[in-house]
Amino acid sequence: MKNIRSSHIHIKHPSYLVGQSLLHPVFNQFHSGLSASWFTSENACSVEGVFDNASSVVRCLVILSGSCEIHIDEDIYILTSQDIVMANLQDSKFKINTSHDFSCLELHITLEFLEDIKTPSWETEIFTKRKILRKSKLCLPLRKAATSLCLSMQKGFHNAPLRCAMALAVIGHSFEHIQESHPQNTLSTIEKARLDKAYKLLLSRKDIAPRIIDLAKYSGLSATRLKTGFREIYGCGPYSLFQAHRMEHAKILLKKYSVTETAIQLGYSNISHFSAAFQRQFGKLPNTYRKKKLIFYL
């Protein structure tokens, strides 16, 4: 596992290294106080270190594909495809575990820059209060802006005003659609340990999710506390988390098996239900994804 300072992953690297791992992102400085990195990881990887940005820097993360598990100090956040997050992470220890086929757009914005573009003061003030601040899912305009920006960065377009406009579009849509996340950590150390126990059982299988009542009994929590605890620590309910990991496993299986065989291994009796779940998670049908991957590996 690599141990780094976060600034090491936000510097420009030679083109032959770009996109090979989290340590070699595509990086663009658009404007004073605004920059972006595009991270990709074909294989699962793990990085740990310290966020060393200035306290006035806010990060906007857009998960484009795959998933990641971020440990920040004592908190754990599970982010999956289409999540957007605003964060203030200075002086924090971190560990990031990514799935295969992971990609993420990360924008760095200073509070001074937000003030210059007339962002409401109440938005900027809350950035100093919590680390992972607010989280939501991509809307269609935000998805288009983020993917267009990543494409321009990947191809090395030199139209700086256009790329800056794309970055601003992502920021603008993020402010408009993002919701409060993790408003207050009310869990005791014992409850966190019990939730971790339930988390491990939940993800121990990919074909069927344990019932909430069984998870609660196994962990020693009430069903209500289990569900609220999952939302507080992992950002979603138990079944949503299970389904996200189930679909990530589907991507691995589709490299070797047909759509029908993959669906059966994941416990689906109806292939169309599997296809619909996969499309909701990744924006494309499993057959389309499988053909693309087969071409890539030939």
Side-chain angles (χ1 to χ4, degrees):
M1 181 185 299
K2 303 179 180 71
N3 195 307
I4 59 174
R5 299 186 70 80
S6 65
S7 57
H8 294 171
I9 64 175
H10 295 104
I11 60 177
K12 190 174 181 63
H13 291 271
S15 58
Y16 65 88
L17 292 177
V18 167
Q20 297 303 306
S21 76
L22 284 177
L23 290 176
H24 306 105
V26 179
F27 176 81
N28 279 172
Q29 179 74 43
F30 298 125
H31 190 278
S32 178
L34 176 63
S35 61
S37 292
W38 176 53
F39 300 97
T40 63
S41 180
E42 181 66 27
N43 301 309
C45 72
S46 184
V47 178
E48 66 177 13
V50 178
F51 289 111
D52 55 353
N53 295 96
S55 60
S56 60
V57 172
V58 173
R59 299 174 188 233
C60 175
L61 295 91
V62 181
I63 310 302
L64 300 170
S65 64
S67 64
C68 66
E69 180 181 276
I70 304 179
H71 299 245
I72 301 175
D73 295 332
E74 296 181 354
D75 297 321
I76 301 173
Y77 303 90
I78 307 297
L79 304 180
T80 58
S81 178
Q82 312 303 317
D83 278 343
I84 52 174
V85 174
M86 288 288 188
N88 181 20
L89 301 171
Q90 77 279 3
D91 301 324
S92 300
K93 293 181 180 180
F94 72 86
K95 177 181 176 182
I96 302 175
N97 300 318
T98 72
S99 68
H100 75 295
D101 290 337
F102 175 76
S103 64
C104 170
L105 171 66
E106 180 176 309
L107 297 176
H108 282 201
I109 322 135
T110 63
L111 295 187
E112 291 78 10
F113 183 78
L114 289 176
E115 292 171 358
D116 286 344
I117 60 175
K118 309 302 181 184
T119 303
S121 60
W122 67 267
E123 294 280 15
T124 58
E125 287 171 0
I126 66 169
F127 283 136
T128 60
K129 296 179 181 179
R130 290 198 305 274
K131 294 172 182 174
I132 295 293
L133 299 163
R134 303 190 303 167
K135 173 183 171 183
S136 187
K137 287 290 184 180
L138 285 173
C139 61
L140 182 59
L142 202 159
R143 183 185 299 120
K144 289 182 177 179
T147 53
S148 295
L149 177 57
C150 288
L151 181 63
S152 71
M153 292 170 65
Q154 179 186 12
K155 293 188 175 181
F157 292 166
H158 298 294
N159 190 330
L162 179 59
R163 286 181 297 153
C164 186
M166 291 177 182
L168 287 172
V170 174
I171 294 169
H173 285 302
S174 298
F175 274 119
E176 183 177 358
H177 293 278
I178 210 161
Q179 302 291 324
E180 281 283 342
S181 178
H182 307 291
Q184 185 178 3
N185 193 329
T186 61
L187 297 167
S188 67
T189 302
I190 293 176
E191 286 177 317
K192 287 182 179 180
R194 289 176 176 175
L195 283 167
D196 182 65
K197 187 177 179 181
Y199 169 83
K200 291 176 180 176
L201 176 62
L202 177 69
L203 301 185
S204 62
R205 294 181 62 175
K206 302 295 190 298
D207 57 340
I208 186 170
R211 298 182 304 169
I212 295 295
I213 189 172
D214 294 330
L215 282 174
K217 183 177 180 181
Y218 177 76
S219 64
L221 295 168
S222 69
T224 300
R225 194 57 172 160
L226 178 81
K227 289 186 285 188
T228 57
F230 259 80
R231 290 190 176 90
E232 189 168 322
I233 291 185
Y234 305 115
C236 61
Y239 183 73
S240 296
L241 183 61
F242 169 82
Q243 191 67 357
H245 280 255
R246 190 186 198 187
M247 290 301 102
E248 286 296 335
H249 188 59
K251 291 168 69 174
I252 298 175
L253 294 177
L254 286 169
K255 293 179 179 180
K256 298 180 180 179
Y257 304 101
S258 69
V259 174
T260 299
E261 290 170 327
T262 298
I264 292 173
Q265 288 193 51
L266 293 175
Y268 283 92
S269 57
N270 189 313
I271 308 303
S272 63
H273 289 174
F274 164 66
S275 296
F278 191 92
Q279 187 173 33
R280 281 195 301 271
Q281 182 75 18
F282 302 115
K284 63 183 70 175
L285 291 170
N287 194 45
T288 302
Y289 174 83
R290 183 173 182 273
K291 287 179 179 178
K292 181 179 178 181
K293 283 299 174 183
L294 287 176
I295 292 173
F296 176 81
Y297 286 110
L298 286 177

